[in-house]
Each structure stands twice: as structure tokens, then as C-alpha cells.
Amino acid sequence: MGIKTTYKAKSFDLSGLSGISDETLAMHFKLYEGYVTNTNTLNEKIAELIKGGELDATKTAAYSEMKRRLGFEYNGMVLHEYYFENMMKQGTGDAKKDTAFAKAAEKSFGSYEVWKADFVATGKMRGVGWAATYQDPSNGELSNHWINLHETGNVAGYTPVLIMDVWEHAFIKDYAPADRPKYIEAFFSNIDWSAVSGRLA
Ligand SMILES: [Fe+2]
């Protein structure tokens, strides 16, 4: 990253998903844009504090607080981009056997079904966060992870392959809080498997 970098919110053409309403998406895009704005704002403020090339000792507390928040805002921005980019209109449900993703899942988990059971169970965990399938760039293996909030649980250097938002805001307009499994089912019907496979090394 560079503290002089200004990020621009991306736009996603997703209206008409199955089981995830346009109303949910509109609200979710706004939340995502907030992460982009906050990332930029934090970077600007940090840049101001170190403008002279040295941090004024009286600003250390403010600086530290902003640095701690960076992980939350950055990952909030980036994970939402992975999430929206791994969905598509007119999705076809589960990955077909001949896709690169299904083959990678079979290699790492024994079968696509076992990978899916693990991923779905991760997404159903109590708490606020994300389910993620990562690829280890050193050996190509896939593994599923729970990300608490946006920043805790990401594996450094691993490549995000499939990202699912399970914060309540991702589905609360469409499903009751206890119906997260129904949202996860809806999410699966909208996955863009070619985008997901394209992230594999
Ligand atoms: Fe979200």
C-alpha cells in the first residue's frame, strides 16, 4: 500500500441475483463505499502526521489508533470487492466438475462436497465475519478460514479464491438473523465460478 494512494470504489453489475434482493445490494454497496472512503481518510490523516518525516511525540496515540483501524478498513474494502466480484447474475449453482475450482477442491479436500461442507459450516459459525477459501501459493492447496470482523484470521500471503460475507447486513433485509443458512444457499446459487477459478494460480 501507499499512504498517498487514493482508492476508488468499484461498481458491480449484480441486480437480479437469486435470493439476494437489489435492496440488499444497494445498501451493501453503500457500506462498501464507506470502507473505501475510510481507507482513504485514514491514509490522508496518517500522511499528515508524518509529513515532516518524523512523528511528533504528542501525536503517537492518535497515530497508533489510526494504524490499528487500517486493517479493519482496508480488509473491509478489499473483502467486499472479492465478494461482489465472485457473484454473477444467472448463476448456475454448484461448481461443475470440470471447472478448475472443483478440481482444486477435490485435490485438497477429497471432493467438492467435502470442501463445500467445510466452507458452509465456516459461514454458519456464530459471530460477525466472513468465510474464505484461500489458496496457498507455495503448494496450490485450498483451505477454508473464518475471518472475524474483516481483519482477524486472514492468512498472510495466501490468495483469496472464494469470499462470502456473513455479516448480518449481507442478508438481514431478505432473511431473519437465524436464517443465515438460507442466505448461504442463495449465495451459492449466485457464485461466478469462472471468476473464482480465475483466481487460482
Ligand atoms: Fe458486507
Side-chain angles (χ1 to χ4, degrees):
M1 77 135 195
I3 56 174
K4 291 172 78 70
T5 304
T6 302
Y7 293 94
K8 279 204 176 66
K10 298 180 179 179
S11 51
F12 307 92
D13 179 22
L14 290 174
S15 65
L17 290 181
S18 131
I20 299 173
S21 66
D22 288 355
E23 202 188 356
T24 291
L25 284 173
M27 180 271 300
H28 211 164
F29 293 149
K30 280 253 173 312
L31 279 175
Y32 153 67
E33 285 159 18
Y35 287 108
V36 178
T37 302
N38 286 350
T39 297
N40 288 332
T41 304
L42 278 177
N43 276 336
E44 282 162 24
K45 288 185 173 167
I46 288 167
E48 268 165 39
L49 288 182
I50 57 173
K51 204 186 275 172
E54 203 176 323
L55 180 66
D56 178 336
T58 65
K59 307 276 171 59
T60 305
Y63 177 85
S64 305
E65 178 54 23
M66 285 194 275
K67 276 283 168 176
R68 288 192 185 98
R69 284 172 50 200
L70 264 186
F72 180 81
E73 302 293 353
Y74 255 83
N75 282 297
M77 170 174 72
V78 170
L79 287 175
H80 278 107
E81 290 171 354
Y82 278 104
Y83 169 70
F84 293 131
E85 284 167 357
N86 61 212
M87 289 194 286
M88 64 183 286
K89 303 181 206 184
Q90 275 118 38
T92 50
D94 283 309
K96 302 276 182 284
K97 282 212 174 310
D98 60 346
T99 57
F101 180 82
K103 287 174 188 164
E106 193 178 336
K107 180 173 172 277
S108 296
F109 286 82
S111 72
Y112 170 86
E113 287 69 28
V114 173
W115 163 81
K116 182 178 178 179
D118 186 52
F119 184 85
V120 168
T122 304
K124 286 178 183 171
M125 281 170 52
R126 290 174 62 76
V128 177
W130 303 74
T133 298
Y134 283 129
Q135 185 178 41
D136 178 346
S138 76
N139 58 16
E141 297 292 336
L142 302 185
S143 52
N144 293 325
H145 301 264
W146 169 258
I147 314 300
N148 220 43
L149 298 176
H150 303 309
E151 72 276 40
T152 309
N154 292 293
V155 184
Y158 276 29
T159 309
V161 177
L162 178 67
I163 297 292
M164 176 171 69
D165 193 342
V166 293
W167 284 55
E168 281 182 1
H169 66 240
F171 60 88
I172 200 72
K173 284 174 179 288
D174 303 323
Y175 305 96
D179 284 338
R180 197 196 285 184
K182 288 184 185 164
Y183 155 73
I184 292 174
E185 238 171 79
F187 170 78
F188 262 81
S189 69
N190 296 302
I191 295 175
D192 181 345
W193 293 108
S194 76
V196 171
S197 292
R199 290 171 180 164
L200 296 168

